[in-house]
Amino acid sequence: MKLPLRYYGHADLRTKAKPIDTITPEIRQLAADMIETMIEHNGVGLAAPQVGQLVRMFIRRFEGVNAEGEYYLGPPEVILNPVLTQPSKETTTQVEGCLSVPGVLVHVERPRKIHLRYQNLEGAWIEEEIEDFKARVTMHENDHLNGTLHIDRAEAAERRNIEPLLSSIKKKHNFTS
């Protein structure tokens, strides 16, 4: 079932999510609904707070190019209770967007590599070293679990430039605070 998105200005996007203690049928259904929602919106990631669920879960998928040179998005992965450590000193800056802040693209500097430890839907703990786009998507979605948006990582001048767009999003979705 496609879930309604939370948009810039909604308090859920600024609330720290709680760990998932038990993987219940409801958590599995939330994961399936989040996958459907992310695909429907053509996203590469979606965090639970973006759909009003304040639990430490996100969905991610990655870009690829097949043997014929065609672009594709890979299968969705469910990430529970992520822990990110060991960010590289080397960083990259790229433009990021967000389903909850539609139409607002900003330059975000992030570590190029990071270590990720998380649980899958079977409850197994997985560890991986990730880099480049995979690391960027993972850090972006993990930020949502901590109440941080990509716009918070923009430089001050760029942030000032997007303020009118942010105000219009708040107004459109009836958030006045």
Side-chain angles (χ1 to χ4, degrees), residues 12-160:
D12 286 351
L13 297 176
R14 296 300 189 177
T15 303
K16 187 168 180 162
K18 293 181 171 44
I20 296 170
D21 296 323
T22 306
I23 300 168
T24 63
E26 292 80 14
I27 290 294
R28 291 177 190 283
Q29 185 60 54
L30 175 60
D33 292 344
M34 287 175 60
I35 289 169
E36 182 179 338
T37 303
M38 177 187 69
I39 290 170
E40 179 75 23
H41 287 281
N42 227 10
V44 294
L46 183 68
Q50 291 179 275
V51 293
Q53 301 297 312
L54 299 176
V55 295
R56 298 190 73 75
M57 176 187 346
F58 64 80
I59 311 299
R60 65 181 186 179
R61 62 183 177 164
F62 303 108
E63 302 173 310
V65 177
N66 66 20
E68 290 78 39
E70 299 165 323
Y71 170 84
Y72 69 93
L73 286 171
E77 298 177 286
V78 178
I79 307 297
L80 307 176
N81 300 318
V83 178
L84 279 64
T85 59
Q86 304 168 18
S88 65
K89 289 186 181 6
E90 181 185 3
T91 63
T92 61
T93 300
Q94 292 182 353
V95 173
E96 290 185 22
C98 180
L99 296 176
S100 291
V101 193
V104 178
L105 303 174
V106 295
H107 293 86
V108 177
E109 182 179 16
R110 295 193 186 272
R112 191 171 96 56
K113 297 179 185 178
I114 197 151
H115 180 85
L116 171 65
R117 182 174 190 264
Y118 68 96
Q119 282 181 289
N120 64 19
L121 279 176
E122 286 70 48
W125 284 95
I126 298 168
E127 295 197 37
E128 58 184 23
E129 300 294 326
I130 53 177
E131 59 187 56
D132 300 323
F133 185 72
K134 192 172 191 176
R136 180 168 295 277
V137 170
T138 300
M139 287 183 271
H140 177 109
E141 298 310 327
N142 192 70
D143 274 353
H144 278 295
L145 304 183
N146 296 314
T148 301
L149 299 174
H150 73 303
I151 57 174
D152 301 334
R153 298 191 179 281
E155 300 233 349
E158 191 171 22
R159 178 63 191 242
R160 281 190 300 276

